[in-house]
Amino acid sequence: MPIDWIWGLIGGLLIGTGGAVYLLGNGRIMGASGIIGGLVDGSGHDTKWERLVFLAGVFLLPIVLMPFYREVDPHITSNWWVLIAAGLLVGVGTRIANGCTSGHGVCGMSRLSLRGFAATIVYILAGGVGVVVFRHLLGVI
Amino acid sequence: MLRLSLAFLAGGLFGAGLFVSGMTDTTKVQGWLDVFGNWDPTLAFVMGGAMIPMALAWLARRRRTTALTGTPLPPPPSTRIDGKLILGSVMFGIGWGLAGLCPGPSIAALSYGGAGLYVFVAAMLTGMALAPLLRSRLDRPVPAE
């Protein structure tokens, strides 16, 4: 639906503006996996309040916007084994690669970072192959 | 205080953007990855839209050495493409495709994603806690035979 693209573009502009504020305001690269991961493994201990407050904003704004929407369903699979496997892969993978969709994708590619492009191409290809294998060949998702 | 206010503003814009763009809906993410199914191009518009203000911020970064709060701005990116970047991105991509979730949207949808999302986030946090172990193994040079 064309309306989805427009909302995608508007949402993207908001995400990028958030990244711009975090860079020029706080001097940080807005990468969700790095912000969360630094809290988990202790590497971001010195900046923990900045990280927690950022995540509070990510968590709270959808709650504020929710009343303006009739129905919001993230369609999370009911297969907990899939969720556990996926969560572990996302957690380990983003920390080994040092970035995810926001850090390597939005922030990396917009500064023409070679690593950002390489990571983004690899995770999109891996995700595409994953969906083909697990949905069309195995029928798990 | 300014630092925390700006962090909240940045996080709020990120969360609002993920929400209105539909990127917290796993079917839209899997729809983008599923080129053999009912392909959904929305993610490309989100990524493209997000890169516009971000690219402008990187341009503005050139004329400054410190951020508004006095923190030094990040150095130019490394150009080293190593095994960790590739292996980690392969793992992340497969997990992203499996559940249709990546770290940002998993937090943005936490208030309305149901029990399944808590399971995903718990597994993701566990993975992040385990990552340093695997990383140190990958860093160790392979002993010569």
Side-chain angles (χ1 to χ4, degrees):
Chain A
M1 280 190 297
I3 193 84
D4 285 5
W5 306 359
I6 295 163
W7 280 111
L9 194 63
I10 294 169
L13 289 168
L14 289 170
I15 294 167
T17 307
V21 168
Y22 211 46
L23 176 72
L24 298 175
N26 291 20
R28 313 268 185 232
I29 291 173
M30 189 187 77
S33 59
I35 292 169
I36 304 167
L39 288 169
V40 174
D41 65 22
S43 60
H45 182 75
D46 294 343
T47 49
K48 67 168 180 290
W49 287 112
E50 187 178 28
R51 290 163 191 266
L52 286 169
V53 166
F54 177 90
L55 292 172
V58 179
F59 172 77
L60 287 173
L61 258 288
I63 299 177
V64 173
L65 293 170
M66 191 67 78
F68 300 101
Y69 285 74
R70 248 185 312 179
E71 193 202 341
V72 184
D73 183 356
H75 300 102
I76 312 281
T77 173
S78 54
N79 185 335
W80 283 20
W81 295 112
V82 167
L83 288 168
I84 291 168
L88 285 170
L89 283 166
V90 169
V92 174
T94 53
R95 292 302 280 159
I96 303 250
N98 213 13
C100 58
T101 344
S102 45
H104 279 314
V106 174
C107 298
M109 292 201 298
S110 63
R111 75 195 296 207
L112 306 176
S113 155
L114 196 60
R115 279 172 60 85
F117 277 102
T120 305
I121 290 166
V122 170
Y123 65 67
I124 287 178
L125 283 176
V129 171
V131 167
V132 168
V133 170
F134 292 107
R135 175 174 286 170
H136 297 296
L137 296 178
L138 302 174
V140 208
I141 54 171
Chain B
M1 206 55 217
L2 176 65
R3 169 173 294 280
L4 294 183
S5 308
L6 288 171
F8 186 78
L9 175 65
L13 285 163
F14 186 42
L18 289 171
F19 183 80
V20 304
S21 66
M23 287 300 102
T24 57
D25 184 349
T26 60
T27 55
K28 296 201 84 61
V29 174
Q30 287 177 328
W32 151 262
L33 292 170
D34 190 3
V35 284
F36 295 112
N38 191 10
W39 190 62
D40 186 334
T42 310
L43 190 139
F45 286 83
V46 182
M47 191 63 97
M51 281 169 62
I52 297 167
M54 205 55 225
L56 294 174
W58 286 119
L59 287 175
R61 181 241 175 277
R62 290 184 183 176
R63 282 180 277 112
R64 317 179 52 108
T65 50
T66 58
L68 197 65
T69 51
T71 315
L73 283 158
S78 156
T79 53
R80 184 153 173 255
I81 295 177
D82 53 12
K84 281 187 293 184
L85 185 78
I86 303 300
L87 174 68
S89 297
V90 167
M91 292 174 80
F92 165 47
I94 294 171
W96 188 42
L98 263 177
L101 289 164
C102 53
S106 75
I107 303 300
L110 207 53
S111 58
Y112 58 95
L117 191 55
Y118 290 104
V119 173
F120 175 86
V121 170
M124 180 179 79
L125 297 178
T126 307
M128 286 178 167
L130 294 173
L133 295 171
L134 181 59
R135 197 162 34 198
S136 63
R137 285 189 80 93
L138 292 170
D139 282 335
R140 201 174 299 161
V142 181
E145 289 287 333

